Amino acid sequence: MKQERDEGYSHVLKYTGIFGGVQGLMILIGLVRNKGVALLLGADGMGLASLLTSVQNFASQCTNLGVSFGAVPTLSELYSKDDQQQLSRFIQTVRLWSVIAAGLGFVFCLAMSRFADTMTFTWGNHTLHYAVLALSVAMLAITGGETAILKATRRLGSLAKIQLATAFLSLIISLPLYYFLYQSGVIPVIVLMALTTMVATVVYSYHYYPLQLDFNKSMLRDGAGMIRLGVAFIMAAIMGSGAEMLIRAFLNVDGGLNDVGLYNAAYMITMTYAGMVFTAMESDYFPRLSAVHQDISATNETVNKQMEVSLLLLSPMLTGLIMLLPLLIPLLFSNEFIPVVSMAQVAVLAMFFKVQTLPVAYITLARSLSMSYLLLESVYNVVYVLCVIAGYHYYGLYGTGVAIVLAHVFDYFLINGYAYWQYGYRSTMQVRRYGLIQTVLGLAAFGVSLSISGWAYWIAEAALTIVSTAYSVHILRQKTHLWESLKRRFVKTT
């Protein structure tokens, strides 16, 4: 713990860069895949795939018992103590609960298939489609348990290989099936990708920790704490998936699959893009925050450092994204998706607020205050759904983009206000200054997108992106003494 705290900004920057880099490669591969899917299936086909995937995620999160999250702290502690006997036993406990979660997911998905069809479609009978998804939901539960084992035992290189391999395989599997089967290939692609990910994860995990079939009833009791810890996190994820499923179902009923596909494209390219930085939160930041959660001063320091680095890394990318969206959307999808550019550009602004909210939101989880966390997430998701429905009703897809921003602004004040009052969290003047400057630059980039066109647009947007990037590089160089380190290395090598 001491080593991690002493490394300070260098540590945060290093691991945010590592996890973000892997995520970035996966996003690039995914964008190529989405381009192919968009050309083969069109907006209707992408809307169908989005709808089925959101239902799969909802069913998975309703039944996976939070094993993939709740198992990590105990496994990490046993691994750090080098207690191989207890570690091996708890790994078996994790695998037992993963099998239980897989069974629950399979049964739940079968049971909800008819209801899901009624809620999400106004034409045809898609009950069988949702029933087949039960296979993928069960496989996701097994994958979650094995992923927790690899993450807690510091097998991050293996996790990166698994993620990149499955991303490449998604291209190889999905595009031929969509080419030959068209929309009928959506379900086979979802199931085969779940199978591929599970097999890859199991192979690596079993290599390090072979399967031992000596389960007993005491393992159910041993895993109770793990399940309690994971439930709050996963319940929040359930509400998030449920909110997205409701939004997509509303758009399908009120507007049609075309609007679902357009909304999903804009949502994917904005929210997923920011995930390059947010990925580091769960893998590196959350364990560090949990270790100091009883120390208010250390908690504030940990949160503020993570927020500073995440904000400075992400903001230039967001400003650049606003500039490039008129090129990226038709390039990554097709010309059919051009009408959603304005929605995507305004939705990007939400990420400036999310990056200043998420590090603070983890304080509640680090303190194991599950009910508080669930309450805060419930309030946000209700506001989010209501905003999007109202935005679409009055202003169409552009209104949904504005609604996403308003929901994130609300969440920013909710989470930061609650942490200030309940935990004594105090943001530093530096955090507030960086956030204000980068958010203003992002708003300026959006303003340019509304008012200027032609060469003037590209010149103005490029200038704002350069300013944002230069500012972040200047601050990060000061924080990490990167320039001095490079000079010392240069002198040493010469």
Side-chain angles (χ1 to χ4, degrees):
M1 182 175 68
K2 183 179 186 299
Q3 181 183 4
E4 287 187 349
R5 289 184 64 183
D6 288 346
E7 287 175 351
Y9 290 100
S10 296
H11 174 90
V12 178
L13 184 59
K14 174 184 176 182
Y15 283 94
T16 302
I18 289 175
F19 294 122
V22 172
Q23 188 72 12
L25 288 174
M26 291 180 61
I27 290 173
L28 288 176
I29 296 169
L31 290 175
V32 174
R33 174 178 175 271
N34 290 332
K35 172 68 173 181
V37 174
L39 293 175
L40 292 171
L41 300 186
D44 284 357
M46 288 196 71
L48 177 63
S50 168
L51 205 56
L52 293 172
T53 301
S54 65
V55 173
Q56 173 200 244
N57 292 338
F58 177 72
S60 174
Q61 290 166 342
C62 280
T63 58
N64 66 19
L65 303 177
V67 174
S68 62
F69 180 83
V72 172
T74 302
L75 286 171
S76 296
E77 182 180 359
L78 294 173
Y79 179 78
S80 63
K81 291 179 179 178
D82 199 24
D83 190 340
Q84 294 300 318
Q85 182 177 356
Q86 289 299 316
L87 177 63
S88 178
R89 176 180 172 80
F90 197 75
I91 284 175
Q92 299 214 166
T93 300
V94 172
R95 287 172 172 165
L96 174 61
W97 278 99
S98 296
V99 171
I100 293 172
L104 286 174
F106 186 85
V107 172
F108 177 80
C109 201
L110 287 178
M112 72 170 288
S113 57
R114 184 176 295 277
F115 174 74
D117 177 46
T118 303
M119 285 292 295
T120 55
F121 285 96
T122 57
W123 51 273
N125 187 345
H126 301 83
T127 303
L128 181 60
H129 295 161
Y130 287 121
V132 174
L133 286 179
L135 295 171
S136 65
V137 171
M139 289 185 282
L140 288 175
I142 300 297
T143 302
E146 301 304 323
T147 300
I149 294 169
L150 292 173
K151 186 185 297 182
T153 56
R154 315 297 194 269
R155 310 292 180 178
L156 299 180
S158 297
L159 281 173
K161 292 176 184 176
I162 291 168
Q163 292 172 349
L164 291 176
T166 53
F168 278 113
L169 286 172
S170 69
L171 282 174
I172 298 171
I173 291 172
S174 62
L175 296 185
L177 285 175
Y178 287 143
Y179 179 79
F180 289 108
L181 300 179
Y182 192 51
Q183 294 187 9
S184 299
V186 171
I187 290 292
V189 166
I190 292 174
V191 174
L192 285 174
M193 283 311 306
L195 175 62
T196 301
T197 306
M198 183 189 71
V199 170
T201 308
V202 165
V203 166
Y204 273 98
S205 183
Y206 282 17
H207 171 72
Y208 296 115
Y209 301 99
L211 178 65
Q212 300 176 20
L213 299 175
D214 57 348
F215 302 117
N216 55 67
K217 292 182 179 179
S218 65
M219 292 182 177
L220 295 175
R221 294 192 300 271
D222 294 342
M226 167 186 71
I227 299 304
R228 283 195 299 269
L229 182 61
V231 162
F233 186 80
I234 212 62
M235 284 295 292
I238 289 172
M239 288 185 291
S241 295
E244 285 301 327
M245 187 174 68
L246 284 174
I247 288 171
R248 284 165 172 79
F250 166 76
L251 292 176
N252 184 38
V253 172
D254 207 56
L257 276 177
N258 186 71
D259 279 1
V260 177
L262 293 173
Y263 169 85
N264 189 65
Y267 185 90
M268 186 185 340
I269 202 170
T270 54
M271 306 303 172
T272 306
Y273 186 73
M276 289 190 296
V277 173
F278 298 148
T279 299
M281 296 287 186
E282 185 180 337
S283 301
D284 173 61
Y285 165 67
F286 179 62
R288 288 189 291 109
L289 182 63
S290 299
V292 299
H293 75 272
Q294 294 181 339
D295 185 332
I296 294 176
S297 176
T299 295
N300 286 344
E301 180 185 357
T302 302
V303 173
N304 287 324
K305 282 183 179 179
Q306 183 68 45
M307 193 183 298
E308 285 179 25
V309 172
S310 299
L311 182 64
L312 292 169
L313 284 177
L314 185 60
S315 296
M317 294 190 288
L318 294 177
T319 306
L321 181 62
I322 293 173
M323 173 182 68
L324 293 173
L325 277 171
L327 292 178
L328 288 177
I329 285 182
L331 177 66
L332 298 174
F333 299 97
S334 69
N335 289 334
E336 186 181 0
F337 291 81
I338 290 177
V340 85
V341 168
S342 59
M343 174 203 161
Q345 286 179 314
V346 67
V348 169
L349 298 177
M351 296 300 97
F352 285 97
F353 294 94
K354 184 171 183 177
V355 76
Q356 298 176 73
T357 303
L358 198 57
V360 184
Y362 270 94
I363 299 176
T364 305
L365 271 179
R367 291 176 175 240
S368 299
L369 299 174
S370 57
M371 293 306 297
S372 297
Y373 184 77
L374 283 174
L375 177 62
L376 292 169
E377 288 298 300
S378 299
V379 172
Y380 163 71
N381 279 295
V382 169
V383 171
Y384 177 66
V385 171
L386 292 177
C387 283
V388 171
I389 290 175
Y392 181 80
H393 178 74
Y394 289 105
Y395 301 105
L397 286 173
Y398 179 77
T400 65
V402 175
I404 290 172
V405 177
L406 292 177
H408 279 79
V409 171
F410 170 83
D411 196 39
Y412 168 80
F413 285 108
L414 175 68
I415 297 298
N416 280 272
Y418 185 83
Y420 181 94
W421 168 69
Q422 189 70 21
Y423 311 131
Y425 166 70
R426 300 293 185 268
S427 63
T428 63
M429 183 63 70
Q430 290 174 321
V431 167
R432 294 194 291 271
R433 183 170 66 250
Y434 302 157
L436 177 62
I437 291 173
Q438 292 289 15
T439 302
V440 168
L441 288 171
L443 286 169
F446 175 66
V448 168
S449 72
L450 293 178
S451 57
I452 302 177
S453 60
W455 282 106
Y457 167 86
W458 295 107
I459 293 172
E461 292 283 20
L464 289 168
T465 303
I466 291 170
V467 170
S468 177
T469 303
Y471 181 73
S472 288
V473 170
H474 173 69
I475 298 300
L476 288 172
R477 180 180 292 172
Q478 287 183 333
K479 295 291 185 183
T480 61
H481 304 288
L482 180 60
W483 182 245
E484 289 77 8
S485 176
L486 289 174
K487 286 196 296 184
R488 286 196 299 269
R489 184 177 301 177
F490 176 80
V491 172
K492 185 177 179 180
T493 54
T494 55

